[in-house]
């Protein structure tokens, strides 16, 4: 019997949080891992080996995704799973967002993700196989106060993923979506951009309540390793299932929204945030 081929995953945003946890988990499972990040030279936790390569990728760079695909293929010869995990979040009132912040929100979370899909799709099509996994959020299914721009970008990826499920599925390529709830990562420090509403004092009482609720919620966040396990489960699931919730809060709130309806759930969210 022929020896089973080692599978390869490409992880975007692998320098921290969910991406790093995923790179570590797949490496521990015997996979080849192409761990992409904006600055591989600054990474010290993910040590390169024959089965793990650090690759430069800034999804906002026009040629970045295609170069990352080429580097992963040079290292491992084939890509079996591509994980779109790199993300950015704008936090605060929409009115306070600058054009640059709003554009970055969609450049990273939507347009950069699309560029990655376009870069890896030819390889998947040639093989008539492959799995594309997009990390969205519970915030792609329901909104969270003061995250309107971030939610809008994740809603977009949810819709995009459904369309890709049809298009790529017809070619033997699986499309999966991971929907985490609150996760204990440093997303809030390095990838979250607080919008400056200081010139709009009307928002101050609202934002103080939101920040207090956010603090309460993040204290009970799930670890990124939980999301990594969900990603592994999706990557190894041969079915055409698309969505995978990650975290107890995700499994609680999303069914509740479906049960109550959007408007009732939004009123409930008002009570949770005390706004």
């Amino acid at each position: 019997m022929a020896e089973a081929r080692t599978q390869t995953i490409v992880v975007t945003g692998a320098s921290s949080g969910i991406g790093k946890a995923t790179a570590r988990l797949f490496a521990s499972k015997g996979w080849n891992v192409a761990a992409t990040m904006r600055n591989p030279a600054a990474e010290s936790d993910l040590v390169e080996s024959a089965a793990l390569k650090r690759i430069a990728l800034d999804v906002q760079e026009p040629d970045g995704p295609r170069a990352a695909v080429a580097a992963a293929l040079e290292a491992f010869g084939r890509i079996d799973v591509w994980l779109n995990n790199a993300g950015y979040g704008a936090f605060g009132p929409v009115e306070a967002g600058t054009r640059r912040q709003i554009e970055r929100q969609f450049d990273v979370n939507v347009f950069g993700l699309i560029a990655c899909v376009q870069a890896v799709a030819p390889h998947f099509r040639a093989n008539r196989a492959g799995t594309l996994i997009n990390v969205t959020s519970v915030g792609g299914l329901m909104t969270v106060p003061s995250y309107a721009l971030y939610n809008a970008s994740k809603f977009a990826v949810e819709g995009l993923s459904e369309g890709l499920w049809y298009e790529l599925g017809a070619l033997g390529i699986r499309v999966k979506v991971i929907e985490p709830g609150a996760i204990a990562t440093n997303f809030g420090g390095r990838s979250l951009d607080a919008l400056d509403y200081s010139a709009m004092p009307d928002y101050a009482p609202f934002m103080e309540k939101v920040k207090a609720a956010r603090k309460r919620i993040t204290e009970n966040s799930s670890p990124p390793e939980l999301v990594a396990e969900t990603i592994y489960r999706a990557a190894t699931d041969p079915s055409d299932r698309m969505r995978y919730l990650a975290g107890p809060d995700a499994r609680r709130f999303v069914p509740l929204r479906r049960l109550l309806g959007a408007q009732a759930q939004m009123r409930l969210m008002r009570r949770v945030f005390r706004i």
Side-chain angles (χ1 to χ4, degrees), residues 1-6:
M1 181 180 293
E3 186 176 342
R5 178 181 58 83
T6 300

Side-chain angles (χ1 to χ4, degrees), residues 226-265:
L226 181 148
V227 186
E229 291 282 357
T230 306
I231 291 168
Y232 183 79
R233 192 161 63 250
T236 55
D237 180 356
S239 78
D240 67 353
R241 175 182 173 185
M242 193 183 88
R243 288 186 167 92
Y244 300 76
L245 294 170
D249 53 345
R251 290 191 293 272
R252 181 168 64 251
F253 283 117
V254 172
L256 189 62
R257 180 181 176 93
R258 292 171 181 153
L259 176 67
L260 298 177
Q263 191 66 58
Q265 182 273 321

Side-chain angles (χ1 to χ4, degrees), residues 51-185:
L52 191 150
K53 300 297 181 185
R54 300 194 303 257
I55 294 173
L57 172 58
D58 183 341
V59 299
Q60 290 186 273
E61 293 293 330
D63 298 326
R66 295 192 188 278
V69 168
L73 291 177
E74 182 179 1
F76 301 119
R78 181 178 172 119
I79 299 170
D80 298 284
V81 177
W82 182 284
L83 174 68
N84 282 315
N85 164 72
Y88 161 80
F91 170 68
V94 172
E95 185 182 353
T98 65
R99 179 64 177 262
R100 183 172 178 273
Q101 289 169 319
I102 295 167
E103 287 179 347
R104 186 184 177 200
Q105 180 66 91
F106 287 88
D107 277 346
V108 175
N109 289 15
V110 183
F111 302 130
L113 183 148
I114 291 172
C116 288
V117 172
Q118 292 177 326
V120 75
H123 178 68
F124 283 168
R125 283 192 291 104
N127 294 329
R128 283 295 192 270
T131 300
L132 174 73
I133 304 178
N134 295 329
V135 176
T136 62
S137 168
V138 166
L141 300 171
M142 50 185 279
T143 56
V144 179
S146 79
Y147 283 92
L149 292 172
Y150 175 77
N151 289 153
S153 72
K154 292 300 187 180
F155 268 62
V157 175
E158 286 281 339
L160 175 73
S161 299
E162 283 198 10
L164 290 169
W165 185 88
Y166 296 116
E167 295 173 15
L168 299 180
L171 304 174
I173 302 159
R174 292 191 292 271
V175 175
K176 310 284 187 176
V177 175
I178 310 299
E179 298 159 335
I183 304 299
T185 71

